[in-house]
Amino acid sequence: MGSKRKKAEKQKDFVKPKLRVGKTAAKPDNHTDTSFIAKSISIPNQTINKKTSNTEKKHEVDLTHHLSLTKHHSDITRKEVLNYIEQHLPSNPSLYKDILTSIVPLIIDQSQNVRNALTSLLSACATQQIGLLDLHIRSIILFIHLAMSHIKPDIRNSSTKFLSVLIDHATESLVRSYFIKTLKSYFTLLSWTLTNDKKAVSLAITTSSSIGGPSKKARIHHLSILKAFLSAALFPISSNERKLDYSEVKMIHPESYKYLLASSTQPFASLKLFVQEVPKQKNTDIQQDSKKDDNAFSLNDLDTVSTEDIDTRRKVMLDVFMAPMLRNLKNLIKEGGEVGREAHSCMKVLEQLQSETK
């Protein structure tokens, strides 16, 4: 009898119960009721902290995934990813380093739509995080100069759009560290020559015809950006722009701001302290050209010149770039139209510099 009872109990585990319509199945013995709802939370900020942590976590996950898509083979995908990142910019400043590292190489992207979306994204990042482009200007300006001398005309034509973003959001860092290199890149972009040598002129004409010179619409945009770049580099900041008034800052002494060092890396340049000056020309050179200034810069000196202060930038402009730029701008003025008007506005900036330096 005992063995039959044990067999019957074992067979119960394998018997499928018959369910009737309208009746729920029996709940198991270890069932736990979880249908209760909490009416209140003891910690008032618990839900807020949960929400913020979840959104930050979501941003990090989405950011990593979308940044990997910036290298996608489809240009449509790359454009949509840039638009998505612009619409969902994070509030955490530490995440912007990964963003710029991934998107800056797209300055020389083959698709024009991708480059236009990148221009808008860089402006949005600079607006969201003040001073961001100053920290990463070294990598950004490297790709801009590469785009200005690129073999494809479309990439060269859109290169100055990114330069315009730097002029608007990182003016001081741009003109102090990359004034000479940017002007040299401009001469390459517009097929200009720094010397009036016949070989250099013929080489520039041959190169421009082989790779395709800038279109009329592109030249108009290049010249307008050139005017903004020259104005920012060769003239002091206007008083209308926002500056930090040190007299209103609380310090140990109310006149402490008078004895602070300048923001330039060469604050003693005016006193000629700790500054390596360019050596003067030899006597043979002076005899050949007595009109030349002894301390005038030449093309060979540009690689060692620091353009931190405005006086050095003006001197470099007058000694090296002024004559060839005026010569090429006069040729564009003769063409007339919008190109001539933009060239004339650039020439006005140079004439204003000449009148002030006299």
Side-chain angles (χ1 to χ4, degrees), residues 8-118:
E9 290 178 357
K10 288 182 179 180
Q11 288 178 355
K12 287 182 181 180
D13 298 334
F14 301 97
V15 175
K16 186 177 180 180
K18 294 182 179 179
L19 301 178
R20 294 182 180 181
V21 179
K23 291 187 178 181
T24 57
K27 297 180 180 180
D29 298 337
N30 58 351
H31 173 71
T32 303
D33 186 12
T34 59
S35 60
F36 62 90
I37 299 175
K39 294 184 179 180
S40 61
I41 298 175
S42 59
I43 303 175
N45 298 327
Q46 184 175 357
T47 54
I48 300 175
N49 295 334
K50 273 189 175 182
K51 287 181 181 179
T52 52
S53 61
N54 291 335
T55 52
E56 289 177 359
K57 200 171 184 182
K58 184 179 178 182
H59 274 304
E60 292 177 3
V61 173
D62 290 344
L63 184 64
T64 305
H65 172 65
H66 284 83
L67 289 179
S68 63
L69 295 177
T70 55
K71 300 179 181 178
H72 199 270
H73 62 87
S74 174
D75 57 334
I76 299 176
T77 303
R78 295 196 300 271
K79 175 191 172 184
E80 291 177 351
V81 165
L82 294 178
N83 292 333
Y84 178 85
I85 295 175
E86 181 180 355
Q87 295 172 2
H88 299 82
L89 286 176
S91 57
N92 188 0
S94 62
L95 300 178
Y96 282 86
K97 180 181 178 181
D98 297 332
I99 294 177
L100 290 182
T101 304
S102 301
I103 67 175
V104 164
L106 296 179
I107 293 176
I108 55 175
D109 194 89
Q110 304 294 329
S111 175
Q112 183 178 357
N113 294 328
V114 175
R115 295 194 300 269
N116 293 336
L118 178 60

Side-chain angles (χ1 to χ4, degrees), residues 95-348:
L95 300 178
Y96 282 86
K97 180 181 178 181
D98 297 332
I99 294 177
L100 290 182
T101 304
S102 301
I103 67 175
V104 164
L106 296 179
I107 293 176
I108 55 175
D109 194 89
Q110 304 294 329
S111 175
Q112 183 178 357
N113 294 328
V114 175
R115 295 194 300 269
N116 293 336
L118 178 60
T119 307
S120 178
L121 177 57
L122 284 176
S123 300
C125 290
T127 305
Q128 185 77 11
Q129 296 292 331
I130 305 299
L132 177 68
L133 300 187
D134 296 275
L135 297 175
H136 301 273
I137 192 171
R138 186 175 182 180
S139 59
I140 297 174
I141 199 65
L142 177 64
F143 279 95
I144 291 177
H145 291 165
L146 182 60
M148 294 175 76
S149 58
H150 203 272
I151 192 172
K152 290 198 172 182
D154 293 340
I155 297 179
R156 294 199 307 272
N157 293 339
S158 61
S159 59
T160 52
K161 293 181 180 180
F162 302 101
L163 185 64
S164 177
V165 176
L166 291 183
I167 294 174
D168 294 336
H169 300 283
T171 311
E172 290 293 327
S173 300
L174 175 64
V175 300
R176 285 182 176 180
S177 302
Y178 304 99
F179 174 71
I180 295 175
K181 291 183 178 179
T182 304
L183 282 183
K184 283 185 175 181
S185 300
Y186 245 108
F187 272 75
T188 305
L189 176 65
L190 297 173
S191 301
W192 291 352
T193 56
L194 285 170
T195 58
N196 203 12
D197 188 11
K198 292 182 179 180
K199 291 183 180 180
V201 173
S202 61
L203 180 61
I205 294 173
T206 306
T207 306
S208 177
S209 60
S210 61
I211 65 176
S215 61
K216 185 176 181 180
K217 185 177 180 181
R219 282 191 297 173
I220 295 171
H221 183 72
H222 294 334
L223 292 173
S224 63
I225 301 301
L226 177 61
K227 176 188 174 183
F229 177 73
L230 293 176
S231 300
L234 302 176
F235 298 96
I237 301 174
S238 60
S239 58
N240 296 330
E241 297 185 14
R242 292 188 302 173
K243 290 184 179 180
L244 180 61
D245 189 3
Y246 289 104
S247 60
E248 297 180 358
V249 178
K250 294 182 179 179
M251 298 182 180
I252 299 175
H253 193 272
E255 295 187 356
S256 299
Y257 69 95
K258 295 181 180 180
Y259 306 98
L260 294 176
L261 294 179
S263 58
S264 173
T265 57
Q266 295 182 354
F268 303 104
S270 59
L271 302 176
K272 296 183 179 181
L273 298 175
F274 313 108
V275 177
Q276 186 177 4
E277 294 185 351
V278 179
K280 296 183 179 181
Q281 296 177 346
K282 296 180 180 179
N283 295 330
T284 56
D285 298 333
I286 298 174
Q287 292 175 359
Q288 291 176 2
D289 190 3
S290 59
K291 294 182 180 180
K292 272 190 174 181
D293 186 9
D294 291 343
N295 296 323
F297 292 113
S298 63
L299 284 174
N300 298 328
D301 301 328
L302 295 184
D303 296 333
T304 58
V305 174
S306 175
T307 57
E308 288 286 337
D309 56 315
I310 189 173
D311 295 331
T312 306
R313 293 195 295 269
R314 286 185 168 189
K315 186 170 180 55
V316 169
M317 187 68 200
L318 293 171
D319 295 344
V320 181
F321 295 103
M322 178 65 74
M325 188 172 289
L326 288 175
R327 182 178 65 251
N328 290 286
L329 288 175
K330 288 178 182 178
N331 294 332
L332 292 179
I333 292 175
K334 293 178 182 178
E335 294 184 10
E338 295 184 6
V339 176
R341 285 195 293 270
E342 291 295 338
H344 184 67
S345 62
C346 291
M347 186 171 288
K348 281 186 176 179

